[in-house]
Amino acid sequence: MNIYKDNRVGQGSRGRGKTISKNSESGSQQRRHTVTNTKKETRFQWFFQRAELPDGQYDPETGTGLLCIEELSKKDKGIYRAMVSDDRGEDDTILDLTGDALDAIFTELGRIGALSATPLKIQGTEEGIRIFSKVKYYNVEYMKTTWFHKDKRLESGDRIRTGTTLDEIWLHILDPKDSDKGKYTLEIAAGKEVRQLSTDLSGQAFEDAMAEHQRLKALAIIEKNRAKVVRGLPDVATIMEDKTLCLTCVISGDPTPEISWLKNDQPVTFLDRYRMEVRGTEVTITIEKVNSDDSGRYGVFVKNKYGSETGQVTISVFKHGDEPKELKSM
């Protein structure tokens, strides 16, 4: 929601025609002032609490100065000044945006916000069922919301969450049950303006929301429990021949994943110089006395009933006296 303050420069007497108006559709406030004898060199400036505001705009063709305040709040309280000046002198106009003036703007914005509220929508989520309305603007100090279920006032608790953002008012029902079916009403109060929105969470609406909830909940369980390679493997590992290479990664999954290693997409046989060790969630592959034949693309493959994942690393073995390939390319 934006607040606009305008200073219009055009024909007329200097200092005449000051007005303040509010646009009920957009929630804007306009400040206008008429002056005479502007010319190409005339300069227009905006000030707030005596400090110049660089974001102010001025159109010399229309004589309009514009200052836009995004997300107006109490920190914008103060004295605004629009000034025009050239080699003949200067003129200004003042807007006192404090006290009752600021309260009146917030009250009007609250009224606009309440009137802008969209019909209630029902949405299945991973945690439950969400009921919400979109608004153009919401301010917790000048607007009040109350939720009702079957005409009984609702309070936030273990299974009920309520909240707002700058553009949304919502109710979240966690772990929904049949007893949660029925009519829900949102009451929005802003000054003298009171608006009520209702929806019926029953029948097909309840069944659809529950189906989506169950679907998202199942996907979340799969994502949480599926086999993953969490961290540990580099993209590339270089090592001199005859050294011992140890690579360790961390895995996760419930049930505990099955683990296997691949070299160039073929299973690794753990004999002689190759060993694998598993300690809890840490998996280590050790290759003793590496040689050029050990170079290649390796992957640790983990899987359980919820899914699988592969972590990969490229191993490059260089001979005594040679430089690693990465250094040669630098």
Side-chain angles (χ1 to χ4, degrees), residues 9-281:
V9 181
Q11 299 299 317
S13 300
R14 190 179 288 266
R16 188 183 68 185
K18 301 179 185 178
T19 63
I20 297 176
S21 63
K22 299 185 183 68
N23 187 321
S24 60
E25 182 175 344
S26 65
S28 65
Q29 180 210 342
Q30 295 180 333
R31 176 73 172 88
R32 292 186 175 88
H33 181 64
T34 304
V35 298
T36 59
N37 300 324
T38 59
K39 56 183 183 178
K40 185 177 180 180
E41 295 78 13
T42 300
R43 186 183 181 196
F44 189 103
Q45 296 167 278
W46 281 103
F47 295 88
F48 174 61
Q49 303 291 66
R50 299 185 179 180
E52 186 172 359
L53 296 172
D55 296 333
Q57 303 172 27
Y58 173 59
D59 183 352
E61 296 294 328
T62 63
T64 300
L66 177 67
L67 179 66
C68 179
I69 303 175
E70 300 285 350
E71 299 178 8
L72 183 73
S73 66
K74 287 291 184 69
K75 67 180 178 61
D76 299 306
K77 176 181 179 179
I79 304 297
Y80 291 82
R81 179 186 178 207
M83 184 179 74
V84 288
S85 61
D86 52 37
D87 56 359
R88 298 165 298 175
E90 65 181 42
D91 192 15
D92 66 4
T93 182
I94 301 295
L95 173 64
D96 183 356
L97 199 57
T98 61
D100 292 342
L102 187 61
D103 286 341
I105 291 175
F106 277 123
T107 298
E108 177 65 8
L109 287 176
R111 187 187 71 83
I112 293 170
L115 292 175
S116 72
T118 61
L120 293 179
K121 292 186 178 181
I122 299 170
Q123 177 186 52
T125 70
E126 175 188 333
E127 298 84 7
I129 296 176
R130 194 167 176 268
I131 303 174
F132 65 95
S133 171
K134 292 287 188 179
V135 292
K136 289 184 178 179
Y137 173 85
Y138 188 86
N139 186 300
V140 294
E141 294 186 42
Y142 291 86
M143 299 174 70
K144 181 181 179 182
T145 58
T146 308
W147 286 93
F148 299 88
H149 178 217
K150 300 177 182 177
D151 298 325
K152 179 182 178 182
R153 180 171 176 165
L154 291 174
E155 302 290 347
S156 290
D158 293 338
R159 291 200 313 111
I160 299 293
R161 300 282 189 273
T162 61
T164 62
T165 64
L166 282 175
D167 64 355
E168 192 175 80
I169 305 169
W170 53 266
L171 167 75
H172 208 167
I173 306 166
L174 308 181
D175 188 23
K177 308 178 187 303
D178 284 345
S179 59
D180 297 315
K181 294 179 180 179
K183 179 183 175 182
Y184 285 82
T185 300
L186 168 63
E187 183 178 278
I188 311 171
K192 296 180 180 179
E193 189 74 36
V194 178
R195 188 175 181 199
Q196 288 191 337
L197 303 169
S198 297
T199 190
D200 187 9
L201 183 62
S202 60
Q204 193 62 45
F206 183 79
E207 296 301 323
D208 290 346
M210 281 296 291
E212 181 67 1
H213 162 55
Q214 296 295 347
R215 185 185 72 84
L216 294 174
K217 183 178 179 181
L219 288 176
I221 291 172
I222 291 173
E223 180 59 27
K224 178 182 177 181
N225 294 326
R226 73 174 178 86
K228 304 184 190 74
V229 180
V230 181
R231 66 178 186 275
L233 290 179
D235 293 329
V236 177
T238 58
I239 188 170
M240 184 184 294
E241 63 180 1
D242 294 328
K243 298 291 185 179
T244 297
L245 175 68
C246 290
L247 294 173
T248 299
C249 65
V250 178
I251 66 170
S252 69
D254 185 16
T256 302
E258 299 175 19
I259 307 164
S260 59
W261 283 84
L262 305 173
K263 178 186 176 184
N264 297 329
D265 300 323
Q266 298 299 316
V268 172
T269 302
F270 288 95
L271 293 172
D272 302 327
R273 298 181 300 112
Y274 283 72
R275 298 197 316 270
M276 181 176 70
E277 184 178 15
V278 180
R279 292 183 178 179
T281 60

Side-chain angles (χ1 to χ4, degrees), residues 273-291:
R273 298 181 300 112
Y274 283 72
R275 298 197 316 270
M276 181 176 70
E277 184 178 15
V278 180
R279 292 183 178 179
T281 60
E282 286 190 352
V283 180
T284 301
I285 184 175
T286 302
I287 307 175
E288 297 178 347
K289 294 184 179 181
V290 296
N291 57 53

